[in-house]
């Protein structure tokens, strides 16, 4: 297993377009998290899944954002009608067990989104 | 709400010397975990060290150690014998029972020869 992988690594899109990112966690990990990191800031929590169930969503996750983890394996994060303020690095992390407090969270390299 | 504050945007250390990165936090939870993550340029974030809040003993991982002051809500990272490969952004983070991480704004560490 090569760790958490994210695709694409970079995405440039025009304002108003829809984009979708994919995250493949470490195979046996049951929890998957999405974070957003803007320049000069630390990552901010967006949402997380335990298996296929989405257990929490941040208020940062507006109705233009949707995340899925259909079979409890990979996850997708879709942004509809992108805005320039959506430009950021989108990070995915996964853990095994109860969550980041109890076991280590492994991060992917992120998808850098630029909205022009 | 949980908050994590890193007041040092940038730090510099000479190779082989020791540096301490500061972090303060606030949480209303009694059961929580504290972390230091390292994010090298264009590479993924990796865990450096973690501390369970119920443990009084400070965590140590090779050249990395923490000074956990629970009453003061302080959690600093000490890097001994600094190496060029230690240059990165370092994030302090907190996880409570909600299992999500709350990060600080980061400290960029430069290591000079």
């Amino acid at each position: 297993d090569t760790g958490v992988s994210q695709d694409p690594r970079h995405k440039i899109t025009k304002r108003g377009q829809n984009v979708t990112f994919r995250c493949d966690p470490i195979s046996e990990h049951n929890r998957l998290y999405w974070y957003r990191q803007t320049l000069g800031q630390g990552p901010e929590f967006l949402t997380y899944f335990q298996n296929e169930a989405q257990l929490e969503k941040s208020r940062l996750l507006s109705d233009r954002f949707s995340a899925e983890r259909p079979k409890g394996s990979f996850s997708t994060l879709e942004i509809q009608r992108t805005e320039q303020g959506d430009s950021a690095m989108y990070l995915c992390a996964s853990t095994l067990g109860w969550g980041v407090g109890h076991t280590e969270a492994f991060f992917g390299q992120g998808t850098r989104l630029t909205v022009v | 709400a949980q908050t994590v504050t890193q007041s040092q945007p940038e730090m510099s250390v000479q190779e082989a010397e020791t540096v301490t990165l500061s972090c303060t936090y606030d949480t209303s939870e009694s059961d929580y975990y504290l972390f230091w993550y390292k994010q090298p340029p264009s590479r993924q974030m990796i865990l450096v060290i973690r501390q369970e809040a119920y443990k009084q003993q400070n965590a140590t991982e090779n050249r990395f150690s923490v000074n956990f002051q629970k009453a003061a809500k302080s959690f600093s990272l000490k890097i001994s014998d600094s190496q060029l490969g230690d240059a990165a952004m370092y994030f302090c983070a907190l996880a409570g029972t909600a299992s999500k991480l709350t990060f600080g704004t980061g400290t960029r560490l430069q290591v000079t020869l």
Side-chain angles (χ1 to χ4, degrees):
Chain A
D1 197 333
T2 56
V4 178
S5 62
Q6 293 186 244
D7 183 69
R9 293 286 309 281
H10 302 275
K11 178 71 177 179
I12 300 174
T13 191
K14 291 184 179 179
R15 189 175 52 187
Q17 297 294 305
N18 298 345
V19 294
T20 300
F21 311 140
R22 176 179 170 126
C23 171
D24 286 90
I26 293 172
S27 57
E28 65 269 24
H29 284 187
N30 59 334
R31 287 201 170 191
L32 186 149
Y33 302 78
W34 285 99
Y35 292 87
R36 182 172 68 187
Q37 185 177 19
T38 53
L39 203 61
Q41 299 296 316
E44 295 174 295
F45 169 79
L46 292 178
T47 188
Y48 87 93
F49 294 84
Q50 180 162 305
N51 300 314
E52 65 275 9
Q54 188 173 19
L55 295 188
E56 185 175 348
K57 292 194 292 185
S58 164
R59 56 182 171 77
L60 293 175
L61 214 65
S62 76
D63 56 6
R64 296 185 298 105
F65 288 70
S66 62
E68 293 183 341
R69 194 182 182 198
K71 296 182 180 179
S73 56
F74 73 91
S75 176
T76 58
L77 178 67
E78 181 183 16
I79 309 174
Q80 296 183 326
R81 305 181 303 280
T82 52
E83 301 172 356
Q84 286 189 321
D86 297 331
S87 297
M89 176 77 83
Y90 290 84
L91 297 172
C92 177
S94 69
T95 69
L96 176 65
W98 305 328
V100 294
H102 301 271
T103 57
E104 181 178 349
F106 290 84
F107 282 82
Q109 290 187 281
T111 294
R112 182 170 295 284
L113 173 67
T114 302
V115 182
V116 297
Chain B
Q2 299 175 332
T3 60
V4 176
T5 302
Q6 293 180 250
S7 58
Q8 305 158 316
E10 288 193 18
M11 292 285 285
S12 182
V13 63
Q14 283 192 320
E15 199 177 18
E17 296 297 307
T18 296
V19 64
T20 299
L21 308 184
S22 301
C23 172
T24 58
Y25 65 92
D26 195 18
T27 179
S28 57
E29 300 195 44
S30 57
D31 184 18
Y32 57 91
Y33 300 79
L34 293 159
F35 308 82
W36 280 97
Y37 278 88
K38 172 184 178 182
Q39 188 177 40
S42 302
R43 295 184 62 186
Q44 67 257 56
M45 199 166 308
I46 57 174
L47 179 65
V48 174
I49 198 165
R50 70 175 231 163
Q51 173 84 40
E52 293 92 336
Y54 62 85
K55 289 187 177 178
Q56 292 187 340
Q57 186 172 6
N58 289 324
T60 299
E61 288 286 342
N62 300 314
R63 298 182 295 107
F64 300 88
S65 62
V66 298
N67 183 4
F68 174 45
Q69 301 291 323
K70 191 171 184 177
K73 294 185 176 178
S74 170
F75 183 63
S76 61
L77 174 70
K78 185 171 81 171
I79 307 174
S80 305
D81 187 25
S82 297
Q83 301 175 358
L84 293 177
D86 295 333
M89 282 290 289
Y90 285 81
F91 291 97
C92 180
L94 168 71
T97 54
S99 296
K100 61 189 177 187
L101 288 162
T102 300
F103 288 87
T105 51
T107 296
R108 182 175 304 280
L109 179 66
Q110 294 183 321
V111 182
T112 59
L113 293 171

